[in-house]
Amino acid sequence: MSFIKTDSELKRDVVNELIWDPSISSDDILVSVSEGIVTFHGHVPHYFEKLLAEKAAQRVSGVKAVADELEVKSIFDKSDEEIAQAAYNAIKWNYSVPNDIGVSVQKGWITLRGQADWDYQRNAAKESVSELMGVTGVSNEITIKTKIQPSDIKSRIEEALKRSAEKESKQISVSVHGDKVTLSGKVHSFAEGADARLAAWMAPGVNSVVDNLKISRF
């Protein structure tokens, strides 16, 4: 028998998860829940805590999606020039990040540009700069340059889904248009949806993933 949490119960669990995580300054985070969708309002002292708060909510069973409206009110007095130099160094010293990634900073907001062969390299670039002092946000505009036939992408993703979860893979449909992958169907939790998205991103040549997966509580 499946137990379905009410919105008030989800809110309680999300709030408790935020309080439980010592890396999140939860005092100024306001939580609301409507039909399983969590919305954050308020502010945090660093961009990385904004990311951590979203991940904390995603860990709570029953959460369908997270709308993160948190503002970053930085407690660090760093100039854009200082942040840009730190970001350049962080990327330069990260083995997973390509060498030709460009960095620009405006009012603490970092924009990354360039090309990568794989999505994990693009994510590594963002992760490298997200924890730097003074950062208020990150726009990841790095694109994927590897090209592959759509039919190959589709078959590789479907095989990857079967390797990770035979049962769940039967309820997920994969469609490919150019370098864009669309996932549709049903999963049983946010974590299963995240696994499906990861499988799609790991296919060579994928530049965007549209997540139309629905969380089924049964």
Side-chain angles (χ1 to χ4, degrees), residues 139-158:
S139 294
N140 195 348
E141 298 182 6
I142 299 171
T143 59
I144 305 299
K145 60 185 177 182
T146 303
K147 301 299 179 184
I148 195 170
Q149 292 298 318
S151 59
D152 291 336
I153 297 177
K154 177 178 171 64
S155 61
R156 291 192 186 198
I157 294 172
E158 289 174 340

Side-chain angles (χ1 to χ4, degrees), residues 12-185:
R12 177 202 62 200
D13 288 351
V14 170
V15 169
N16 287 337
E17 187 68 18
L18 292 173
I19 295 173
W20 175 257
D21 192 331
S23 61
I24 301 173
S25 305
S26 59
D27 291 346
D28 296 310
I29 299 177
L30 303 177
V31 180
S32 62
V33 182
S34 177
E35 298 182 357
I37 298 175
V38 176
T39 301
F40 288 144
H41 291 285
H43 59 87
V44 288
H46 194 278
Y47 173 68
F48 192 62
E49 289 198 32
K50 178 180 170 79
L51 301 180
L52 292 175
E54 185 174 343
K55 291 179 180 179
Q58 292 170 354
R59 290 196 296 267
V60 176
S61 65
V63 171
K64 294 181 178 179
V66 180
D68 191 347
E69 303 293 336
L70 290 171
E71 295 182 36
V72 177
K73 294 186 177 180
S74 179
I75 60 175
F76 304 102
D77 184 19
K78 298 294 182 181
S79 68
D80 285 349
E81 182 179 358
E82 290 174 312
I83 295 172
Q85 184 61 56
Y88 171 79
N89 290 336
I91 288 175
K92 180 180 179 181
W93 285 93
N94 190 320
Y95 174 77
S96 297
V97 180
N99 294 325
D100 56 349
I101 300 302
V103 178
S104 61
V105 183
Q106 185 174 21
K107 295 182 179 180
W109 194 288
I110 295 175
T111 299
L112 302 174
R113 295 185 177 90
Q115 289 188 316
D117 291 313
W118 298 90
D119 183 64
Y120 85 85
Q121 295 173 320
R122 177 164 58 182
N123 287 334
K126 181 178 180 180
E127 291 173 0
S128 294
V129 302
S130 293
E131 293 188 60
L132 299 176
M133 291 187 294
V135 174
T136 58
V138 179
S139 294
N140 195 348
E141 298 182 6
I142 299 171
T143 59
I144 305 299
K145 60 185 177 182
T146 303
K147 301 299 179 184
I148 195 170
Q149 292 298 318
S151 59
D152 291 336
I153 297 177
K154 177 178 171 64
S155 61
R156 291 192 186 198
I157 294 172
E158 289 174 340
E159 288 300 318
L161 290 172
K162 289 178 181 178
R163 287 194 298 271
S164 60
E166 182 72 30
K167 182 178 179 180
E168 285 75 14
S169 68
K170 295 179 180 178
Q171 301 184 65
I172 298 175
S173 174
V174 180
S175 62
V176 181
H177 298 281
D179 58 3
K180 181 174 75 174
V181 175
T182 300
L183 301 175
S184 56

